[in-house]
Structure formats: structure tokens, C-alpha cells
Amino acid sequence: MSLFQNSTILKILEDYKTIWALNHLIALASWDHETYMPEFGVNARGTAMAKVSGLTQNLFLNKKFVDLIKKANDQKNLTDAENGVLRLLNKSLKEYQNLPQDFIEEFVEVTTGAQVAWRNARAKNDYSIFKPFLEKIINLSTKQAEYLGYEKYPYDALLDQFEEGLTTEYVDKFFNSIRDFLKTLLSEIKSQSNYSQNSPIELAEYDHSIMKKTNYSVLDYFHYDSKKLRLDKSSHPFSLSLGNSDIRITTRYLKNNFASSLFSTIHEFGHGLYNQQSDDELAYSPIDGGVSLVIHESQSRFWENMIGRNRKFIEKFYPQFLKLNKDFKKYSVDDFYYYFNQVKPDLIRVEADEVTYHFHIMIRFEIEKMMMAKEVNVDELPELWNSKYKEYLGVSAKENDFENGILQDIHWSQGAIGYFPTYSLGTILSAVWKSFLEKDLGDFSELLTSPEGIQKIKDWLKTNIHQYGGTYTLDELVQKVTGEDFSTKYWKEYLRNKYTT
Amino acid sequence: MSLFQNSTILKILEDYKTIWALNHLIALASWDHETYMPEFGVNARGTAMAKVSGLTQNLFLNKKFVDLIKKANDQKNLTDAENGVLRLLNKSLKEYQNLPQDFIEEFVEVTTGAQVAWRNARAKNDYSIFKPFLEKIINLSTKQAEYLGYEKYPYDALLDQFEEGLTTEYVDKFFNSIRDFLKTLLSEIKSQSNYSQNSPIELAEYDHSIMKKTNYSVLDYFHYDSKKLRLDKSSHPFSLSLGNSDIRITTRYLKNNFASSLFSTIHEFGHGLYNQQSDDELAYSPIDGGVSLVIHESQSRFWENMIGRNRKFIEKFYPQFLKLNKDFKKYSVDDFYYYFNQVKPDLIRVEADEVTYHFHIMIRFEIEKMMMAKEVNVDELPELWNSKYKEYLGVSAKENDFENGILQDIHWSQGAIGYFPTYSLGTILSAVWKSFLEKDLGDFSELLTSPEGIQKIKDWLKTNIHQYGGTYTLDELVQKVTGEDFSTKYWKEYLRNKYTT
């Protein structure tokens, strides 16, 4: 049976193809911007992105198209996919109706330039280069919240943009429900030695070309298809879909800490696979690939943490890790296992372990709340950042070390205020999937020891999650797969089991 | 004084920015298609390109925009740049008005797929993979000619698309005016030894990573700016502009014949420089960068032949060439000079020397004329190709060697029937520029010996040609720079001087 049958929906999808095409090209331009674009190309790129974003809005608000959506809203007996399409179109429609075209174009132009400024600021460890852009972005985000509307706080409007229905209150409650658990767990781990000890491997340099090969070996072990997915490098790893047969992921190669490169690759592969296993019938539709950022992050975290940091997986690639540095021979599988799973309060979010990671997100959430409530200005941000790190993690960047402080994430330069909470929610959701996958497929670690096991995991994810793309909301999908509401209990169990038994 | 002052033109340019933005993204998508796109991404890419091409046409034919163009057509005292903008908009308008949107979308979709088929066909040396696509493209081109209209032959409509005003009769006459000269020159060169002898260097393998470094050294010597121009590899080298600060050029690395990589780089740099030195004020306008393909090719050929194949340039890079293969030490500067300038009738157009090159173009021109006159069908093309090579060059690909025969050029797969003649015209024009540049700057070879000399050449090209972008037609620009009509006499002198004295 075809996923799309209703004649109004079919008309909508036909018209939507042009909007999809523009989104496709905008996504490609973003990928290029982060990977290969010559630096001075940024002005032309900013103009192009702004103009095309405005044009996309125009097409969306075309009366004929809007009337079709309204007509479809009255239809009964739609399929799940049809309802999914309508749900997302109505969300976009509301946003486009509320945001003036000038605003959208300005937002895109400012953030395109801001990303270059952020990169320069980081390279020179000079916050002042980025500060005026950040100020503009906070102001634009405030305007955006006013345009979009909200019930309680302007910040709610931004959260909702990245995850349907997310609110400040919800996130507050969510963090309250895990904060103490994490603090207790962290202090328990600190009192043990294995997970809390510093690893000398972290500081070791490594051969970048061998690391690149290792990344490809890992992708090969995951049965990646080079005709559908490519790996590049960028300063901030990301994943992006240009359709389920054209997935772009990136990784990075820092001077030391090869784990950063390895886990970026695995993490982004997780995102990419979600898009790649989207049903072919969803192509060119608004629900092609993942739509919920929380579900998306649950996939990347699943691969990164549940698979990549599993001892069985590490055993498998142990011989390859040894090749990265001639001194690595002295380390055992256990040494690598504890290096990859070391729990250590530190400065960098993307290198953080499974326990302290959420404190990084809480810090950003609290800062963003203050930004949007105008309780902090851009001059005060570096200090606020450092004081929060001191408070939550007991660490603080050196004075004027902006690169590892306020400048560490690309998100704000992209105008993405309100994005971070989805990282914590997604990470916690990944443990839900693992639990239910094990109920179907049996012992998880065992699955990682063979290509067939990996294929079973991929198939399970495809059947239960990926094939649907954005058909279901987060809550609907969790219900469908687990028969329960979204809960933190599987994740708490997972962490307790891993770190304290 | 500003290049654009007329208020109607200024309104046009403001509206045109959106069309420019779509063209920018389409160009980026083409670049990606040839360089990094995963193979199976082609279907989504084809759909995206087709939809956005159709949309571009829609925007162009928007009544308000068309009315502005009509209004501007009645204005007096326009600047040269304003007239240039109008000239090109009127040309596009006529094309867009005549070509139905369905046709444009079909054309883009078919040619996107055809390029992949061509690549596969080449890789497998299997003409049958490409044949059905070629047949479709010939039929679509015939339709296109009917839509566009023509005075004498359908082929005229295609020629005019690639070079304003070009006709079958003009090209016939042009080739008639150089054919005998070339035949005589070729037989004279054959009777000498230096230029006609086979070079063993051609067959030598070389270190690709050192060649890559050499390409960058050459670009450095040309004062290229890595923040504005990047070099990648692709199976068919090309150049493309995303604005005067974002130029993409490609080269290739064949197993042997490093000259192919070197001269591709230099050739594409010539194209890129033309776009890069376009006046900043032309940004986002239809005349930003080169518009005439003949002028464009005159730039790439100027750098490739006049500079890259000059003995002084070769002397400069001789030490680097020696590093490409440990056996190269036995070769002198002269050996490299004659290798790069060897005149030899052979199968491959892009590797052809300055003399026989034009026979390759004549062959394609004659075949395209026959295609468009339905005097040959796709089954007969390989044999026709080989018989023309036998006739003009005395060589012929081995039976069923399609890769070096009918499948050697990407153009037809891109739907570019009528493009080739611009290569010959541009090559001949490059000698015109050289003559007039020497009148201003003195001995040409001397200029190549220092970075300052190279800069003088770049400045001369900028002042006389590049800054104007597409402001002038081919004929206007030649008149402006030389005070004369376009003529083959400088080119004939150049070849005679080089090869027979």
C-alpha cells in the first residue's frame, strides 16, 4: 500500500517538490560552506542563501499552496505519513506566516557572516571578533520569538523551532529530574579508579592519515555505502542529508586525542544512517529523513555511545588503534576502553563523557535562558560561561581562553539558540532504544562482534525508527516502539550498570 | 562614477538578485556533481536542478520583471554596463519565453542523468550505456532549436545559445579560412624534427602528490589567492565562478602524461582569473564574470598556450618537473619544451597541440551539423567519429575503443551541442590579446621570468578585458581593445613564428 494516496496530499507533494529542491540546494550550500568554500566566498554565499530563503518562504505562502494545506486539514482517514506531512507543513506555515521575508533574509545573511566570524574568532582566540555578531543574533532571536509568539517565555518560541512543543518549563523539569542523579553518579565514579583516572592516550599525538583509514574501516564495518555517503573534514563535525542516497558527514583531526575523530565519525554516521534508511517513498516530501532533533540525536548517540564505546567494539578495532602511534603498543584493550569511557569534568562539550555531558548542556540552557531574558549582555558572557563551568564541573578555562570557553560551539553563530537541550534529550532516548532493541535481538554486545550483528541492528533501527522519517512526533514514535511514554529510567539504568557495577 | 545609475536598471538588478542566487546554487550543485557528490545522489540532484531551473524561468518571466526590461529598452543614455545587462537579459528573456517550463525541466533532468551515464560508459568503455541518453539529448536539442527559432539551420539556434550571434555559416567560413593554413603548417612541422618527434616523457608515470604540489606552485607563481580560488580534481577539468571571490577550478591526474594535469590547471586558472578580476560592482548582475564563451576560452588558452607552453615559463618550473619521476633527471629544459609543444595528430582533443587542436573541433562541428540535420543516427556515430579522425588527423581509435573516441568529451552529456566551435574561436583570439599586450608591455617572454611580470600581465588583462565581465559582446570588446575586427592574422603569425622559424 502506498504511503500517500489522498489526492489533495498528492497535489501538495507535487508542489512541495520545488520547495524541497530549494532546501536541497540550501543544504548543499551549507555543507560547502563548512567544508570547501574559499573564505572570501562568504559574502556572495550569504546573499544567495538569504535570497533563496526568502524565495522559499514566498513559494510556501503562495495562496494556492496554502489553500491546499487548509483543504487537507479537513480531510479524514489520512495515512500516518499523510498526517506527518500535514503536521510539518502546518508548523512551517505558521512560522512563515509569522516571520516577515525581510526578517528571514536578514537572519540568513547575518548568520552566514557570523559563522565565518566565529571561525576567525576561534582561530585567533579573540572573542571580540564574534561578539558583535552574537549580539545581532541575540537581538534577531528576540525579534524572532516575538514574531513567532509564545505562551510564557520568548525562549519557548526558539525551543519549539528545534523540537516541536518543547518549552522552557519542560526542559527545566527534565534537567531537574536528572541533575541530582548525575551528581551522585559522578561522585561515585570519582571515588572509583577505573573510569575516573586520566588516560595518557588522550594527550598522545597520532598519525592523521592512519586515523583517516581507521575512520573508513569503522564505516566499512558499519556496511556504509560510498555511493551514498561521504566523509569529509570540518572544524565542527556535522551530518546533512541531500536525500536518502546522498548523505554527507564530517569529522575532524585534532592534534591529539584521536578519540575525537573516531567518535565524531561514528556519531555523524548515526545521524546519516537515519536519513539514509528513510523510506524511498518519502523522497522530496517534508518528512524525508529525521525531523525531530531529539530522535536524530538519539540515533547519533546510540552509535557513538552504545556501539562505539562498547568494549566489544573496541576489541574489534584494537589492532587498528595500535597503528596510530608507535608507542600505543604498550596499551591494552582495557586501556583504550577506559580512555574512551573516562569520566572527567572538563571544558569541552563534544569531548565530554556520557555522565558530565549533560552538565555542559545545562550550562548552555541556563545561559540561553538568561540571554533571552536579557539578564546578561554579550560582554558578560565569557565570565558567566566560566562561572557556570566552575559551578557545575569544577573546572574553568584559563583567563582569555575563549576557544575552549564561550567560542567552543558553532551553534549560536548559526542562529541556533534553543538547540542544545535536544542533545541531552536525544542522548537519554538512545538508551531507550537500546533497551527495546535488546528485547527483540538479545545480547547487545554480542551483536557488535560480527558484521551480521551490525546488520541486525541497522535493520531494527530501520524497521522501528528510520523508515518513517518524520512521520511521527517524538512522543508518538516512543509510544509506537515502546508502548510507553518517554522516560529517563532506561538511561539511568544503563549508566548505573555501566559505571557502578 | 558608478557603473549602474539608471533607476529602472537598478530596480532590475535588485529583482535579479534572486535569479542570480538560484544560478549561484545551481552552479554550486554542478561543481559538486563533478567533484564530490556520491554517485547515487544523482536522482535527487537531477530533480532539484530541474525544479530550480523551472523556477528560475518563472521568476524571469514574472510580469513585473519583464515590464521592467521592456521599460529599460526604451531608455536613452545608458552606461556600457547598463547596456550589457539589458543585452543579456533580452537574450535570456527571448529564450525563456520560447522554451516551455516542462521542456527546461526535462532537459535538466535528462542531462543530469546523462552525465552519470557518460561517466559509467567511459569507465566501462561501453558506448551502449550512453547511447540512449545521447539520442534523447539530440531529440531534445532539435526540439529546443524549434522552440528558439533560427533563420537557416536548427543548429544555428544552438550555436547562438553558446555564443551570441554565432551561425553555422559563420563557423563554416571561419574553418574554411584556417583549414588549409593548418594543413600546410602541419606538413611543414612534420618535415622538421624538433616539434614533431615523439617524447618519451609523455608515457612516463609520475608522482601524483608531487604533481599536485607542482600545480599549487604554478598557481602560487600566478599569485593565486587561496581565499578566493580552490583547485580540486574531476574527470573532466572545468572552471566555474560563484562570484568574483569564490572561483572553483579542477584538474586531473592521469596515470601518465603529467602535462595533462599541468595544462588543465593553467587552462582553468585562465578561466577562473577572468571571473575573479570582474569588477566588484558587477556582483549579482547578469554580466558578472565572462559571458562570451569565446572570450572565456581566449583567456584560458592565453594562460595555457602563451604562458604555460612558453620556454621561459618551462625553464622556471624545470626543477620541479624533475621531481615528478626519478628518471626525469636525464631530460633537459629543451626536452620538456618539446614534450609540451609536440605537434602530433592524435585521438584526444584536450591533449592536442596548438596546431592539430582545431581539427578536433572541426570534426565535432561537422558531426554536430549532421546530428542536427538528422544525417546520422546514434548507432552510426562511433564509426563516423573514427572516419573523420582518419580523414583529418590520419589516426583512428582501435575498434570499440569508445573512451578515446565518441565518449571522450563530456559536452553532449551536458546537452551542450553547439559549444565546441567556441574553443577554436577563443584559441585564435588568445593570440590577438598577446599581440596587443606586447604592444603595451614589451617582450612577452621576459614578463614570464618574474612575479612582477606575471602581475603586469594580470593587470593588463584586468584593465582591458576582465573588469568588464559581460559588458561587451565579443565583437565590441575586440574593437575596444584592438581598434580592429576579429581576425585570424595574429594567430597565424604566432603559429608561424613559433613552429617554423
Side-chain angles (χ1 to χ4, degrees):
Chain A
M1 198 177 88
S2 177
L3 296 177
F4 300 113
Q5 302 169 30
N6 179 284
S7 64
T8 309
I9 296 284
L10 289 172
K11 270 185 213 149
I12 287 177
L13 290 177
E14 190 50 39
D15 283 2
Y16 185 80
K17 261 193 190 172
T18 306
I19 294 170
W20 168 87
L22 293 178
N23 288 335
H24 173 97
L25 293 184
I26 288 174
L28 175 65
S30 307
W31 172 82
D32 181 69
H33 187 277
E34 297 299 318
T35 51
Y36 296 110
M37 186 184 78
E39 189 179 328
F40 290 168
V42 66
N43 287 337
R45 182 59 51 84
T47 304
M49 298 281 265
K51 284 291 167 191
V52 175
S53 301
L55 179 62
T56 307
Q57 181 186 25
N58 265 343
L59 290 181
F60 212 105
L61 295 180
N62 175 293
K63 191 173 176 311
K64 190 183 142 225
F65 190 64
V66 174
D67 286 347
L68 278 174
I69 295 177
K70 284 181 185 160
K71 189 176 167 195
N73 285 336
D74 295 331
Q75 317 259 312
K76 303 253 183 302
N77 301 321
L78 295 182
T79 65
D80 286 1
E82 289 168 346
N83 276 318
V85 164
L86 261 188
R87 187 186 88 248
L88 283 160
L89 289 180
N90 280 306
K91 181 173 192 283
S92 298
L93 182 60
K94 193 187 138 216
E95 285 170 14
Y96 278 136
Q97 281 172 332
N98 289 330
L99 296 174
Q101 184 173 346
D102 284 357
F103 174 81
I104 289 184
E105 294 191 7
E106 188 185 358
F107 194 87
V108 171
E109 198 140 9
V110 167
T111 53
T112 309
Q115 288 170 65
V116 177
W118 170 77
R119 237 187 302 277
N120 280 336
R122 270 200 96 193
K124 293 177 185 152
N125 187 40
D126 181 353
Y127 177 58
S128 74
I129 296 173
F130 181 54
K131 198 173 67 176
F133 286 92
L134 182 55
E135 188 160 26
K136 266 190 213 167
I137 285 168
I138 294 171
N139 291 334
L140 284 172
S141 299
T142 305
K143 260 195 192 174
Q144 189 178 28
E146 295 306 323
Y147 284 131
L148 292 172
Y150 48 86
E151 277 194 26
K152 280 213 164 164
Y153 308 105
Y155 189 37
D156 290 346
L158 305 185
L159 289 167
D160 175 69
Q161 276 217 307
F162 293 108
E163 187 68 35
E164 276 177 277
L166 209 60
T167 62
T168 312
E169 272 187 358
Y170 182 94
V171 180
D172 264 327
K173 224 170 115 183
F174 164 71
F175 281 138
N176 288 340
S177 77
I178 65 170
R179 193 179 288 107
D180 289 343
F181 166 80
L182 284 170
K183 283 185 180 170
T184 310
L185 182 64
L186 182 58
S187 70
E188 282 180 51
I189 293 170
K190 270 185 178 167
S191 68
Q192 298 180 359
S193 62
N194 285 345
Y195 284 104
S196 63
Q197 71 197 355
N198 276 320
S199 168
I201 306 177
E202 187 182 350
L203 301 170
E205 294 190 9
Y206 61 95
D207 184 313
H208 288 200
S209 67
I210 296 179
M211 187 60 227
K212 194 173 163 186
K213 277 185 199 154
T214 307
N215 281 330
Y216 280 103
S217 305
V218 169
L219 293 180
D220 278 335
Y221 191 62
F222 295 163
H223 316 292
Y224 102 109
D225 181 347
S226 67
K227 291 182 174 173
K228 292 185 174 178
L229 181 147
R230 56 173 295 125
L231 173 69
D232 292 280
K233 62 176 183 173
S234 66
S235 65
H236 203 284
F238 68 97
S239 146
L240 178 150
S241 161
L242 298 167
N244 72 1
S245 299
D246 186 353
I247 310 293
R248 314 284 173 111
I249 68 174
T250 68
T251 189
R252 63 176 173 189
Y253 298 89
L254 302 174
K255 191 159 169 263
N256 42 28
N257 194 4
F258 78 86
S260 171
S261 184
L262 176 68
F263 290 105
S264 293
T265 303
I266 300 176
H267 179 100
E268 302 307 339
F269 172 80
H271 281 301
L273 187 67
Y274 184 9
N275 289 312
Q276 198 187 313
Q277 298 204 118
S278 184
D279 195 298
D280 284 340
E281 262 199 80
L282 302 183
Y284 317 131
S285 87
I287 56 170
D288 186 26
V291 177
S292 157
L293 291 179
V294 172
I295 301 174
H296 238 304
E297 192 71 4
S298 76
Q299 297 310 301
S300 54
R301 284 300 192 176
F302 178 86
W303 284 85
E304 178 189 351
N305 291 336
M306 311 297 166
I307 295 178
R309 290 194 162 87
N310 185 296
R311 193 186 298 262
K312 289 289 179 193
F313 176 81
I314 294 165
E315 269 172 25
K316 198 93 202 168
F317 282 89
Y318 173 65
Q320 299 208 36
F321 299 150
L322 295 187
K323 293 181 193 158
L324 291 165
N325 178 320
K326 62 181 170 26
D327 294 333
F328 280 3
K329 279 191 214 91
K330 63 183 173 218
Y331 300 120
S332 65
V333 169
D334 253 22
D335 290 330
F336 283 99
Y337 175 78
Y338 285 112
Y339 161 43
F340 293 151
N341 286 290
Q342 178 189 345
V343 175
K344 190 177 78 173
D346 212 336
L347 296 171
I348 308 295
R349 177 182 61 84
V350 294
E351 315 296 349
D353 56 81
E354 294 179 82
V355 178
T356 62
Y357 184 82
H358 303 279
F359 294 131
H360 294 265
I361 302 301
M362 290 178 207
I363 291 169
R364 284 154 182 75
F365 172 66
E366 291 173 15
I367 292 176
E368 289 184 346
K369 271 201 295 186
M370 291 177 70
M371 276 180 182
M372 295 306 294
K374 305 285 172 202
E375 293 166 6
V376 61
N377 67 47
V378 288
D379 289 311
E380 299 159 342
L381 280 177
E383 212 188 300
L384 176 65
W385 182 281
N386 291 342
S387 71
K388 293 264 178 205
Y389 265 81
K390 201 83 206 157
E391 178 194 335
Y392 268 109
L393 290 153
V395 295
S396 197
K398 290 193 200 105
E399 211 186 315
N400 297 325
D401 175 6
F402 303 115
E403 191 192 339
N404 296 308
I406 189 80
L407 290 178
Q408 77 177 258
D409 295 303
I410 197 173
H411 302 65
W412 293 338
S413 77
Q414 296 173 324
I417 298 175
Y419 191 116
F420 287 114
T422 66
Y423 285 150
S424 272
L425 288 159
T427 303
I428 282 160
L429 182 56
S430 70
V432 177
W433 304 138
K434 177 169 178 283
S435 273
F436 284 84
L437 181 145
E438 278 192 304
K439 285 181 192 174
D440 290 342
L441 302 182
D443 183 56
F444 190 76
S445 295
E446 193 50 38
L447 292 168
L448 306 187
T449 60
S450 71
E452 295 73 27
I454 296 286
Q455 190 55 51
K456 278 185 191 164
I457 292 173
K458 289 175 71 172
D459 290 343
W460 189 92
L461 294 171
K462 180 174 182 173
T463 307
N464 287 281
I465 300 166
H466 298 176
Q467 63 162 320
Y468 301 118
T471 302
Y472 302 109
T473 64
L474 168 58
D475 291 339
E476 286 167 352
L477 188 68
V478 171
Q479 269 292 346
K480 190 175 164 71
V481 179
T482 70
E484 303 171 4
D485 283 343
F486 175 73
S487 144
T488 60
K489 75 177 171 196
Y490 299 100
W491 168 76
K492 286 178 180 170
E493 271 172 32
Y494 162 77
L495 285 191
R496 283 232 153 268
N497 276 336
K498 177 162 181 175
Y499 291 105
T500 65
T501 55
Chain B
M1 198 178 89
S2 175
L3 296 177
F4 300 113
Q5 303 169 31
N6 179 284
S7 64
T8 309
I9 297 285
L10 290 172
K11 271 185 213 150
I12 286 176
L13 291 178
E14 191 49 40
D15 283 2
Y16 185 79
K17 261 193 191 173
T18 307
I19 294 169
W20 168 87
L22 293 179
N23 288 336
H24 172 98
L25 293 185
I26 288 174
L28 175 64
S30 306
W31 172 82
D32 180 71
H33 187 277
E34 296 299 318
T35 52
Y36 295 111
M37 186 184 79
E39 188 179 328
F40 289 168
V42 65
N43 287 336
R45 182 59 50 85
T47 303
M49 299 281 264
K51 285 290 166 191
V52 176
S53 301
L55 180 61
T56 307
Q57 180 186 28
N58 264 342
L59 291 182
F60 212 104
L61 295 181
N62 175 293
K63 189 175 176 311
K64 190 183 142 227
F65 190 67
V66 174
D67 286 348
L68 279 173
I69 295 176
K70 284 181 185 159
K71 189 177 166 196
N73 284 337
D74 295 331
Q75 318 258 311
K76 304 252 182 301
N77 300 320
L78 295 181
T79 64
D80 285 2
E82 290 167 345
N83 277 319
V85 164
L86 262 187
R87 186 187 89 248
L88 282 160
L89 289 180
N90 280 307
K91 182 173 191 282
S92 298
L93 183 60
K94 194 186 135 214
E95 284 170 16
Y96 278 137
Q97 282 173 330
N98 289 330
L99 296 174
Q101 183 173 345
D102 284 357
F103 174 81
I104 289 185
E105 296 192 6
E106 187 184 358
F107 194 86
V108 172
E109 197 140 9
V110 166
T111 53
T112 309
Q115 287 170 66
V116 177
W118 170 76
R119 239 188 301 278
N120 280 336
R122 268 199 98 192
K124 293 178 184 152
N125 187 40
D126 182 353
Y127 175 60
S128 74
I129 296 173
F130 181 55
K131 198 173 68 175
F133 286 90
L134 182 56
E135 187 159 28
K136 266 190 212 166
I137 286 168
I138 295 171
N139 290 335
L140 283 172
S141 299
T142 304
K143 260 195 190 173
Q144 189 179 28
E146 294 307 323
Y147 284 131
L148 292 172
Y150 48 85
E151 278 194 23
K152 279 213 163 163
Y153 309 105
Y155 189 39
D156 290 345
L158 306 185
L159 289 167
D160 175 70
Q161 276 219 307
F162 293 107
E163 187 68 34
E164 276 176 275
L166 208 61
T167 61
T168 312
E169 270 185 1
Y170 181 95
V171 180
D172 264 327
K173 225 170 115 183
F174 164 71
F175 281 136
N176 288 341
S177 78
I178 65 170
R179 192 178 287 107
D180 288 343
F181 165 80
L182 283 170
K183 283 187 180 169
T184 309
L185 182 64
L186 180 59
S187 70
E188 280 179 51
I189 294 171
K190 271 188 180 165
S191 69
Q192 297 180 358
S193 61
N194 285 344
Y195 284 104
S196 63
Q197 73 197 354
N198 277 321
S199 168
I201 306 178
E202 186 182 349
L203 301 171
E205 295 191 7
Y206 61 97
D207 184 313
H208 289 202
S209 67
I210 296 179
M211 187 59 226
K212 196 174 163 186
K213 278 185 198 154
T214 307
N215 281 330
Y216 280 102
S217 305
V218 169
L219 293 180
D220 278 334
Y221 191 63
F222 295 163
H223 316 291
Y224 102 108
D225 182 346
S226 67
K227 291 181 174 174
K228 293 185 175 178
L229 181 147
R230 57 172 296 125
L231 173 68
D232 293 278
K233 62 176 184 173
S234 66
S235 66
H236 202 283
F238 68 98
S239 146
L240 176 150
S241 161
L242 298 168
N244 72 1
S245 299
D246 186 353
I247 310 292
R248 315 283 173 110
I249 67 173
T250 68
T251 187
R252 63 176 172 189
Y253 299 89
L254 303 174
K255 191 159 170 261
N256 41 29
N257 194 4
F258 78 87
S260 171
S261 183
L262 176 70
F263 289 105
S264 293
T265 303
I266 301 176
H267 178 100
E268 302 305 340
F269 172 80
H271 281 301
L273 187 69
Y274 184 10
N275 290 312
Q276 199 186 313
Q277 297 204 118
S278 183
D279 196 297
D280 283 340
E281 263 199 80
L282 302 183
Y284 316 132
S285 86
I287 57 170
D288 185 27
V291 177
S292 156
L293 291 179
V294 171
I295 301 175
H296 239 304
E297 192 72 6
S298 78
Q299 298 308 302
S300 54
R301 284 300 191 176
F302 178 85
W303 285 85
E304 178 190 350
N305 291 336
M306 311 295 167
I307 295 178
R309 290 195 162 85
N310 186 294
R311 193 185 299 261
K312 289 288 179 192
F313 175 83
I314 294 164
E315 270 172 23
K316 198 91 202 170
F317 282 88
Y318 172 65
Q320 299 208 38
F321 299 150
L322 294 187
K323 292 180 193 158
L324 291 165
N325 178 320
K326 60 181 171 29
D327 294 334
F328 280 4
K329 279 190 217 92
K330 63 183 176 219
Y331 300 120
S332 65
V333 169
D334 253 23
D335 289 329
F336 284 99
Y337 174 78
Y338 286 111
Y339 161 43
F340 294 150
N341 286 289
Q342 177 189 347
V343 174
K344 189 177 82 174
D346 212 338
L347 296 171
I348 309 295
R349 178 183 61 83
V350 293
E351 315 295 349
D353 57 82
E354 295 180 80
V355 178
T356 60
Y357 184 82
H358 303 279
F359 294 131
H360 293 264
I361 302 301
M362 291 179 206
I363 291 169
R364 283 153 183 77
F365 172 67
E366 291 173 15
I367 291 176
E368 288 185 345
K369 273 201 294 186
M370 290 177 71
M371 276 179 183
M372 295 306 295
K374 306 284 170 199
E375 292 166 9
V376 60
N377 68 47
V378 288
D379 290 311
E380 299 160 341
L381 279 176
E383 211 189 302
L384 176 64
W385 182 282
N386 291 342
S387 71
K388 291 265 177 202
Y389 265 81
K390 201 84 206 156
E391 178 194 336
Y392 267 108
L393 290 153
V395 294
S396 197
K398 291 193 199 106
E399 213 187 314
N400 298 325
D401 175 5
F402 303 115
E403 191 191 338
N404 296 308
I406 190 79
L407 289 178
Q408 77 177 258
D409 295 303
I410 197 173
H411 302 64
W412 293 338
S413 77
Q414 295 173 324
I417 299 174
Y419 192 117
F420 286 113
T422 67
Y423 285 149
S424 273
L425 287 158
T427 301
I428 281 158
L429 181 57
S430 70
V432 177
W433 304 137
K434 179 169 178 281
S435 273
F436 284 82
L437 182 146
E438 277 191 305
K439 286 180 191 174
D440 290 342
L441 301 181
D443 183 55
F444 190 77
S445 295
E446 194 49 38
L447 291 167
L448 306 187
T449 61
S450 72
E452 296 74 28
I454 296 287
Q455 190 56 51
K456 279 186 190 164
I457 292 173
K458 286 175 72 172
D459 290 344
W460 189 93
L461 293 171
K462 180 176 182 173
T463 308
N464 287 281
I465 301 167
H466 298 176
Q467 63 162 321
Y468 300 118
T471 302
Y472 303 108
T473 63
L474 168 59
D475 290 339
E476 286 167 354
L477 188 69
V478 171
Q479 269 291 344
K480 189 174 165 73
V481 179
T482 70
E484 304 172 2
D485 284 342
F486 176 75
S487 141
T488 60
K489 76 177 171 197
Y490 299 100
W491 168 76
K492 285 178 181 170
E493 271 171 34
Y494 161 78
L495 285 191
R496 283 232 152 268
N497 276 335
K498 177 162 181 176
Y499 292 104
T500 64
T501 56

